[in-house]
């Protein structure tokens, strides 16, 4: 009996695979060619964060197994940020400070986006996306990105758990 308690449980899903699905979607050229997202490291960070949040929200809506999968995805994302900093040449001493700052940004974005995403508030979401993704205060310019995010939230909600972790159903990127 003690052997069973100490045995590690297999993960419900693979956090790396979920993260790869979010990154693949965020890297779609249409965000850059159709929606005016500049191909800069900070804009890519913002799109990754948005897609990770969309998956985390959907997974958490699925009870314990979804919560576990969401945590695995989030942990993988934070680890990827750490690895990226190191690849960019940030020294070991500075990584902690930079990760703290990135963590605060990540938490801030997720907090700012979650309420409008849950409420379907395109105007509120567009204001945050304009500031963070597009780098200006023109909420109207971020309207198509906000509409995409809200439509993706709805599409993911319509998918069963197994389908979401295998191949999320993202919305079409508007023209």
């Amino acid at each position: 009996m003690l052997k069973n308690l100490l045995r590690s449980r297999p993960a419900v899903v693979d956090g790396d695979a979920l993260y790869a699905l979010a990154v693949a979607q965020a890297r779609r050229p249409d965000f850059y060619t159709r929606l005016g997202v500049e191909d800069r490291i900070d804009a890519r960070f913002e799109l990754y964060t948005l897609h990770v949040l969309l998956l985390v929200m959907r997974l958490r809506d699925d009870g314990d197994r979804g919560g576990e999968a969401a945590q695995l995805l989030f942990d993988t994302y934070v680890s990827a940020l750490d690895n990226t900093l190191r690849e960019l040449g940030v020294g070991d001493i500075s990584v902690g400070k930079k990760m703290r700052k990135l963590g605060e940004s990540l938490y801030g974005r997720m907090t700012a986006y979650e309420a409008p995403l849950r409420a379907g508030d395109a105007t509120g979401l567009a204001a945050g996306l304009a500031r963070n993704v597009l780098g200006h205060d023109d909420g109207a310019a971020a309207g198509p990105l906000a509409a995409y995010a809200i439509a993706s939230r709805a599409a993911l909600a319509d998918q069963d758990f197994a389908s979401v972790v295998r191949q999320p159903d993202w919305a079409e990127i508007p023209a």
Side-chain angles (χ1 to χ4, degrees), residues 16-26 51 55 163-168 170:
D16 290 334
L18 282 171
Y19 177 66
L21 292 168
V23 167
Q25 182 65 15
H51 286 87
L55 279 180
S163 297
V164 169
V165 298
R166 196 174 47 255
Q167 184 59 50
W170 307 103

Side-chain angles (χ1 to χ4, degrees), residues 33-170:
T33 59
R34 292 184 186 174
L35 300 185
V37 176
E38 292 183 30
D39 190 13
R40 301 182 327 262
I41 193 164
D42 57 329
R44 288 191 303 267
F45 163 78
E46 298 294 346
L47 282 180
Y48 294 175
T49 300
L50 176 63
H51 286 87
V52 167
L53 174 62
L54 287 165
L55 279 180
V56 163
M57 289 173 64
R58 167 57 187 91
L59 294 169
R60 285 191 318 205
D61 291 342
D62 212 294
D64 288 344
R65 72 179 174 171
E68 182 181 337
Q71 188 62 53
L72 288 169
L73 170 56
F74 184 80
D75 292 347
T76 300
Y77 184 40
V78 171
S79 177
L81 290 175
D82 181 88
N83 291 338
T84 299
L85 285 175
R86 292 176 191 282
E87 287 172 6
L88 291 172
V90 176
D92 286 342
I93 295 171
S94 300
V95 168
K97 291 177 186 176
K98 298 246 186 231
M99 280 303 296
R100 186 173 336 132
K101 186 174 180 177
L102 274 174
E104 289 169 0
S105 295
L106 179 61
Y107 180 75
R109 299 311 189 264
M110 290 185 160
T111 301
Y113 298 160
E114 186 169 3
L117 279 167
R118 288 197 183 281
D121 177 10
T123 303
L125 182 59
L129 292 173
R131 197 171 37 259
N132 298 321
V133 179
L134 302 181
H136 54 69
D137 289 327
D138 182 6
L145 181 57
Y148 159 81
I150 290 170
S152 287
R153 166 102 171 113
L156 291 167
D158 287 342
Q159 266 189 299
D160 64 73
F161 179 83
S163 297
V164 169
V165 298
R166 196 174 47 255
Q167 184 59 50
D169 186 17
W170 307 103

